[in-house]
Amino acid sequence: MDERPNIELRSEKVRSIVGKMPPFLLRMGISIIAGVILVVLSLLYYIPYPQTITVPVRISFYNEDSTTYATSHIPVQEARPIRIEQNATITIQSLQGNYNIYGQVYKLAENNGFVDIDILLTDTASHSEHLSTLPTGIATISISRKPILKRIIKRS
């Protein structure tokens, strides 16, 4: 048999450091950092983060059925994630302040590389005087409310 001599590669000082248990503060610090990381990951998994698209719109009144629509004309690439019945918020800016009007995507129609979007406005009665004088605004269409961690996991 091959007998090798027992050679110690570490000095007495190194063995004393390696043999010691870490101090209490160091162990607790590692535990606290691990706990904070777990809490952040669980928050990223459960708290929804809204993904939106912002487009310019023009307000149109239809008298035959007393409804108000906001229309937009945007490129197809920007309109791909938009679906019918998604919620939309129209912000109308005026000298008196900003006005938010809510609605839902009512109709999508593709036209020569662009998409015409109609948003049916639901609460126009309180803002009717501003809509008649300021027929343009900015629509924020809510695409999804998935949590960030679920989006990251889905992409990879």
Side-chain angles (χ1 to χ4, degrees):
M1 280 203 207
D2 188 23
E3 290 187 29
R4 296 184 185 172
N6 189 7
I7 301 173
E8 290 196 34
L9 299 175
R10 296 188 183 121
S11 68
E12 186 67 32
K13 291 180 183 177
V14 171
R15 276 188 285 160
S16 69
I17 292 173
V18 170
K20 280 186 181 178
M21 203 170 159
F24 176 75
L25 188 59
L26 183 61
R27 289 191 312 249
M28 284 307 296
I30 292 171
S31 300
I32 290 171
I33 290 172
V36 167
I37 289 173
L38 286 174
V39 167
V40 168
L41 286 176
S42 65
L43 288 175
L44 288 176
Y45 187 79
Y46 288 110
I47 296 177
Y49 180 77
Q51 181 182 3
T52 60
I53 291 180
T54 303
V55 295
V57 294
R58 182 162 187 81
I59 310 297
S60 303
F61 294 97
Y62 295 103
N63 291 333
E64 64 268 3
D65 55 356
S66 69
T67 57
T68 305
Y69 293 95
T71 58
S72 182
H73 186 71
I74 63 172
V76 171
Q77 294 84 0
E78 292 180 29
R80 283 190 208 255
I82 299 174
R83 303 283 178 254
I84 292 177
E85 294 186 4
Q86 287 179 327
N87 293 328
T89 303
I90 313 272
T91 302
I92 298 174
Q93 299 173 348
S94 71
L95 296 175
Q96 292 82 19
N98 293 344
Y99 300 96
N100 287 333
I101 301 171
Y102 303 99
Q104 286 187 330
V105 175
Y106 177 69
K107 184 171 76 172
L108 298 169
E110 193 169 336
N111 184 8
N112 295 331
F114 287 89
V115 173
D116 295 327
I117 301 171
D118 285 349
I119 300 170
L120 175 63
L121 303 179
T122 55
D123 63 343
T124 57
S126 60
H127 301 295
S128 59
E129 69 277 357
H130 302 291
L131 291 176
S132 60
T133 59
L134 301 165
T136 60
I138 300 197
T140 304
I141 301 172
S142 176
I143 301 302
S144 74
R145 292 188 52 81
K146 285 185 182 176
I148 296 172
L149 196 59
K150 285 184 180 179
R151 287 186 196 170
I152 292 171
I153 291 171
K154 185 179 179 183
R155 287 184 190 165
S156 49

